[in-house]
Amino acid sequence: MRKTAYMVRCVPRYGFDNTEVRTIDLDLPPFAEHDELEHALGFYFASRGISDAVFAIECDADGYFAVINDEVYERQWGKPLL
């Protein structure tokens, strides 16, 4: 199976100071299932030494997005969505 980059929007849980929507690229097929995305997000943050980052995974008209605990924003990861 060929893997492709899958961009995921990461939004803060409450949106305290210094939090913003960020994006990350994961190696997943374009139409990944919820469980695959959950596993890939867990691995992404764990490999950066960040635990308990993902609060929830939701879906809207633009696809899946991850709700990220605000404490995680104290670290460098992802790209701010402008």
Side-chain angles (χ1 to χ4, degrees):
M1 173 183 357
R2 185 170 159 249
K3 301 266 185 177
T4 58
Y6 183 85
M7 186 176 72
V8 178
R9 294 169 291 145
C10 297
V11 301
R13 185 171 175 195
Y14 291 112
F16 292 135
D17 291 340
N18 302 315
T19 58
E20 72 268 325
V21 176
R22 297 182 187 177
T23 61
I24 59 173
D25 293 327
L26 301 174
D27 289 330
L28 286 171
F31 299 103
E33 297 290 328
H34 182 277
D35 292 343
E36 293 172 297
L37 180 56
E38 186 174 32
H39 178 72
L41 281 168
F43 181 79
Y44 174 88
F45 285 107
S47 68
R48 286 157 179 77
I50 304 171
S51 61
D52 299 325
V54 180
F55 175 75
I57 298 172
E58 302 289 336
C59 192
D60 63 12
D62 294 321
Y64 284 116
F65 64 94
V67 181
I68 305 298
N69 290 316
D70 286 2
E71 301 80 32
V72 175
Y73 284 87
E74 296 171 357
R75 304 280 295 272
Q76 288 289 98
W77 58 270
K79 297 176 221 155
L81 184 65
L82 304 174

